[in-house]
Amino acid sequence: MGGQYRKQKLDLTSNSDPAVPIDFTGLRGIPANRMTRFNNTNVGSAFGKLNVKEVFAEAQVPIFKGQPLAEELSLNGAFRLTDYSTSGSVKTWKVGAVYKPIEDVMFRVTRSRDIRAPSLFELFAGVQTAPVNFNDPHTGQPGSIRQFSGGNPNLDPETGDTFAAGVVLSPSFLPGFDVSVDYYDLKIKGAIATQGLNDVVNECETSNGTSPTCALIERPLPFSDRSPANYPISVSLITQNISFLRTSGLDITMSYRTKLGDGELALRAFANYLDRYKSQTNSIAPVIDYAGHGVNSQTGYAYPKFRGTLSANYTNGGLTLFVQESMIGKVTIGNLKNDPTSFYAVPAIKPVFYTDATASYKFDVRGEPELFVTATNLFDRKPPLVAAAAAPGLLYPTLFTLYNVAGRTLTAGVRFKF
């Protein structure tokens, strides 16, 4: 059992706060409606604070131990009550069980209710503004509007329900070997997200002007007026609890340790299979499964169905040698079901492999100095080219959240203790 109290504070100053208009009178070449210091990005000052109070308890209850067909059977649970000064109280919990019919086999299962509280920046971020080209479906007019974005102090914590079950095998006939297979299923409601400009306007249009999102659109005339004169002045995009996410898959881990000469060899393999990664960005958007797909854009994504690593670590006295091979599975560019705007007539990206290696030696003297050298992306594997769905030159032409864009990196140094 236990308790905790903490305070957090955000204090951000800015030299381009859009709330402080700039007078450009007498300067040529600047549009008459320009009121901000910079053309594209103006970050507002931000201030906010919160406090958190919570109490928690955990328990593990043994049921059987050392019995026939019940080498171990135990239950475990946890409960936490958290009170946020911004959004009130929330309860989280976990229940689980472990069952070992024999020493070589263990089954485990867990069910939990989890939360993620909004960050200080999500709550209190200052207003940021930029001009955006926009085709308005309400008036049928193209043009340029001001897009505002910022935090939302009324956000609630995200709520997640997780189920996980797995088995661990440690065969007595092969000492040092373990393999585990775990299935997971995570569902998040009220995920924190920011609606895009088109989503805000389309949701308002679909509701015929009755949706709360209509308040985010500033027009010079009432909603009923569809003349060109009612082209929007600005749209505000704020973080909201509007998104939905569900993901599931398999994690497989194998490890083996054995003596090799005068040293010890440790082998480890890890693989992940992503069965689904379904998301809905707002109430009128379709539910889209991103598993196995990727797109290079300002709001890009990359979710290969398969990922894995294979590593070997050898130690002998002060010498340590480590090598790891990583695999990123095939990625289909765009072509998502339920999203007709994501059609790409390009081939899928084939699996990509990276090799990392480290060699180190620790001296058995005072301070235990250790020399090391590390190579990341040892063979300088170039990232696959992926055209950007944006203005040319704006984004690096690959899935930069997924692939190595730095190339081979070498690091050498010495570590020691005082």
Side-chain angles (χ1 to χ4, degrees):
M1 299 179 65
Q4 186 180 73
Y5 174 82
R6 61 183 183 271
K7 294 180 66 175
Q8 295 177 303
K9 180 180 177 180
L10 172 67
D11 191 355
L12 174 68
T13 59
S14 171
N15 67 348
S16 60
D17 192 337
V20 182
I22 306 295
D23 185 4
F24 293 106
T25 302
L27 296 179
R28 290 178 295 178
I30 299 178
N33 62 350
R34 172 76 170 274
M35 301 292 289
T36 54
R37 183 179 297 272
F38 302 116
N39 182 50
N40 286 326
T41 302
N42 295 272
V43 179
S45 300
F47 176 82
K49 58 183 178 179
L50 61 84
N51 63 72
V52 183
K53 301 182 286 290
E54 56 186 0
V55 293
F56 56 87
E58 298 181 10
Q60 183 161 328
V61 182
I63 306 299
F64 294 110
K65 189 173 182 65
Q67 301 296 317
L69 294 181
E71 185 65 31
E72 178 187 346
L73 175 61
S74 62
L75 304 177
N76 58 79
F79 178 81
R80 183 179 296 261
L81 175 63
T82 307
D83 181 72
Y84 295 94
S85 60
T86 53
S87 57
S89 299
V90 62
K91 302 179 182 68
T92 55
W93 49 266
K94 183 196 78 167
V95 292
V98 173
Y99 173 53
K100 293 179 69 174
I102 58 176
E103 192 66 36
D104 297 18
V105 181
M106 180 180 74
F107 298 96
R108 55 193 178 193
V109 62
T110 302
R111 172 75 169 84
S112 66
R113 166 66 55 84
D114 311 290
I115 64 164
R116 185 189 76 85
S119 67
L120 284 172
F121 207 72
E122 289 171 331
L123 289 166
F124 306 116
V127 175
Q128 182 171 312
T129 181
V132 177
N133 294 325
F134 178 63
N135 292 319
D136 181 26
H138 187 73
T139 61
Q141 293 295 307
S144 177
I145 63 171
R146 276 280 160 186
Q147 176 178 286
F148 293 93
S149 61
N152 180 2
N154 297 315
L155 288 174
D156 293 320
E158 299 176 340
T159 302
D161 291 306
T162 305
F163 172 79
V167 58
V168 181
L169 305 177
S170 305
S172 55
F173 60 83
L174 187 58
F177 178 78
D178 294 285
V179 57
S180 64
V181 180
D182 290 281
Y183 169 79
Y184 61 88
D185 188 338
L186 169 63
K187 183 177 182 180
I188 299 176
K189 296 179 180 179
I192 297 170
T194 301
Q195 279 184 283
L197 172 59
N198 289 318
D199 290 334
V200 169
V201 175
N202 289 338
E203 182 170 340
C204 181
E205 285 297 301
T206 302
S207 69
N208 198 29
T210 61
S211 170
T213 60
C214 297
L216 303 175
I217 307 168
E218 181 186 3
R219 296 183 183 273
L221 302 171
F223 180 85
S224 57
D225 190 320
R226 294 182 176 271
S227 70
N230 203 22
Y231 185 83
I233 300 171
S234 68
V235 174
S236 298
L237 309 179
I238 61 173
T239 49
Q240 303 176 71
N241 294 101
I242 55 172
S243 187
F244 161 85
L245 172 67
R246 185 166 189 177
T247 182
S248 61
L250 285 175
D251 287 332
I252 303 173
T253 304
M254 291 185 289
S255 62
Y256 180 62
R257 303 181 72 92
T258 185
K259 290 288 185 180
L260 183 62
D262 295 330
E264 185 177 76
L265 176 66
L267 303 175
R268 186 177 186 273
F270 172 79
N272 169 258
Y273 170 71
L274 183 64
D275 179 55
R276 59 184 167 183
Y277 193 93
K278 293 184 176 181
S279 178
Q280 184 183 31
T281 56
N282 60 74
S283 60
I284 67 168
V287 176
I288 297 176
D289 190 353
Y290 294 91
H293 299 262
V295 157
N296 183 15
S297 69
Q298 289 177 299
T299 57
Y301 54 87
Y303 301 103
K305 275 186 170 286
F306 294 96
R307 299 188 73 163
T309 60
L310 176 63
S311 65
N313 190 81
Y314 177 73
T315 57
N316 190 342
L319 176 67
T320 299
L321 301 174
F322 173 82
V323 63
Q324 176 174 278
E325 189 74 9
S326 302
M327 186 274 288
I328 299 172
K330 183 182 78 170
V331 177
T332 300
I333 304 303
N335 298 333
L336 297 163
K337 293 182 179 179
N338 298 331
D339 186 2
T341 67
S342 72
F343 178 76
Y344 288 75
V346 295
I349 300 175
K350 296 179 180 180
V352 174
F353 295 84
Y354 294 105
T355 304
D356 304 326
T358 297
S360 64
Y361 191 88
K362 182 181 290 186
F363 296 90
D364 188 16
V365 296
R366 183 177 180 180
E368 298 183 354
E370 181 182 17
L371 301 175
F372 68 91
V373 59
T374 297
T376 303
N377 191 6
L378 178 63
F379 300 110
D380 199 22
R381 174 70 162 83
K382 299 296 188 293
L385 293 177
V386 180
L394 183 62
L395 298 175
Y396 194 91
T398 192
L399 301 177
F400 50 87
T401 60
L402 187 62
Y403 300 115
N404 182 300
V405 298
R408 177 170 51 236
T409 304
L410 300 176
T411 306
V414 59
R415 290 185 287 255
F416 53 87
K417 298 179 180 178
F418 291 98

